[in-house]
Amino acid sequence: RFYHEKVVDHYNNPRNVGSFDASDPSVGTGLVGAPACGDVMKLQIRVGDDGKIVDSCFKTFGCGSAIASSSVASEWIKGKGMDEVSKITNNDIAKHLSLPPVKLHCSMLAEDAIKAAIKDYDAKRKK
Amino acid sequence: EKEFHSVANETLHRLQEKIDEYGEKLAIDGFDTDFAEGVLTVRLGDLGTYVINKQTPNRQIWLSSPVSGPARFDWQDSQWVYRRTKVELQSLLEKELSELLGHSIDLGE
């Protein structure tokens, strides 16, 4: 198997690996995937007073493409508003990493993780 | 789980057979199908590659389409359905392949 150099780069130098306090009101946590299939992604966002994502981090359990997809996702969402970020699609991530057909599911999972983090943040704000 | 394998294998096997028939009939450049270890790969040369596989832990069939990207199908009411869009696997493939190949495609029995 051959991994595209962008995927290898994110695998060797993942951006934003880490964890925020999930109970912090400015933090949204998206947890997607299932260990049974070998992929679990946790993507967290910290939202500023202006409604923009000031920081993000992730932890992913899975293949190189899954790690790269969530790493790319965590980079792309920084400094953006939540509406803008919900427009990021698995297709954007897949094209950026030149993912082969069998790995498109990884970029889909990353898109799901972004949406889940936003949903969690919104749900917390309503409480 | 045994039932899943039985239904899924039957589906993938039938898809491969039908698609192979069209492959021969339509003489597509770079056409190839491969079904091994629960993974059906359909190469259509420059038009792209489909990967359709069994995802046993979830009892799903996963699809990767060069047209519509990834999708996951659950067995519901004797059909493979993608919950997000309610689209059915066979119809999705028939529609996409018909457009890609410029020929009406029927993957049913």
Side-chain angles (χ1 to χ4, degrees):
Chain A
R1 281 291 148 114
F2 176 62
Y3 277 103
H4 190 270
E5 59 180 50
K6 282 210 181 94
V7 173
V8 174
D9 178 35
H10 276 276
Y11 183 75
N12 284 328
N13 308 301
R15 335 288 199 238
N16 315 312
V17 172
S19 218
F20 296 145
D21 179 1
S23 58
D24 185 322
S26 66
V27 170
T29 301
L31 184 63
V32 295
C37 342
D39 275 331
V40 180
M41 281 183 196
K42 183 174 83 165
L43 181 76
Q44 290 180 302
I45 54 175
R46 186 187 302 282
V47 185
D49 296 328
D50 59 352
K52 289 205 167 44
I53 296 172
V54 300
D55 203 4
S56 69
C57 66
F58 80 100
K59 277 196 180 174
T60 291
F61 166 58
C63 68
S65 303
I67 292 169
S69 297
S70 41
S71 175
V72 164
S74 73
E75 272 199 316
W76 283 3
I77 62 183
K78 278 199 197 174
K80 297 205 168 100
M82 287 187 287
D83 283 338
E84 206 188 326
V85 149
S86 22
K87 298 204 177 97
I88 295 175
T89 67
N90 65 93
N91 202 38
D92 300 325
I93 300 174
K95 288 247 167 348
H96 178 77
L97 294 170
S98 301
L99 294 183
V102 70
K103 293 297 181 184
L104 293 189
H105 297 284
C106 302
S107 51
M108 180 87 243
L109 204 60
E111 182 193 318
D112 286 348
I114 295 175
K115 298 196 157 73
I118 293 174
K119 203 164 148 192
D120 179 60
Y121 174 75
D122 282 340
K124 278 160 84 167
R125 298 228 49 191
K126 292 203 170 94
K127 284 199 184 134
Chain B
E1 195 182 302
K2 242 172 50 180
E3 194 198 325
F4 164 74
H5 283 300
S6 158
V7 172
N9 285 341
E10 195 261 321
T11 301
L12 293 176
H13 194 68
R14 177 168 47 85
L15 286 175
Q16 188 196 23
E17 265 186 14
K18 294 283 172 184
I19 294 174
D20 261 341
E21 279 173 24
Y22 282 107
E24 271 188 38
K25 202 162 78 161
L26 302 174
I28 304 158
D29 231 358
F31 180 81
D32 188 47
T33 71
D34 183 62
F35 184 24
E37 322 257 347
V39 182
L40 171 62
T41 306
V42 179
R43 275 177 247 281
L44 301 171
D46 290 335
L47 297 175
T49 299
Y50 280 85
V51 178
I52 309 169
N53 66 287
K54 288 194 296 190
Q55 188 66 4
T56 308
N58 291 6
R59 309 276 192 274
Q60 290 174 331
I61 285 188
W62 282 18
L63 166 76
S64 172
S65 155
V67 175
S68 53
R72 301 170 183 198
F73 298 82
D74 296 283
W75 184 245
Q76 271 179 2
D77 306 316
S78 306
Q79 286 189 323
W80 291 102
V81 182
Y82 181 25
R83 285 198 186 134
R84 245 174 243 224
T85 59
K86 310 263 191 289
V87 86
E88 191 268 321
L89 176 62
Q90 189 179 306
S91 341
L92 177 90
L93 290 174
E94 282 173 351
K95 177 165 180 289
E96 288 188 3
L97 290 173
S98 301
E99 279 174 24
L100 281 181
L101 305 173
H103 189 280
S104 150
I105 303 279
D106 181 1
L107 299 172
E109 283 305 337

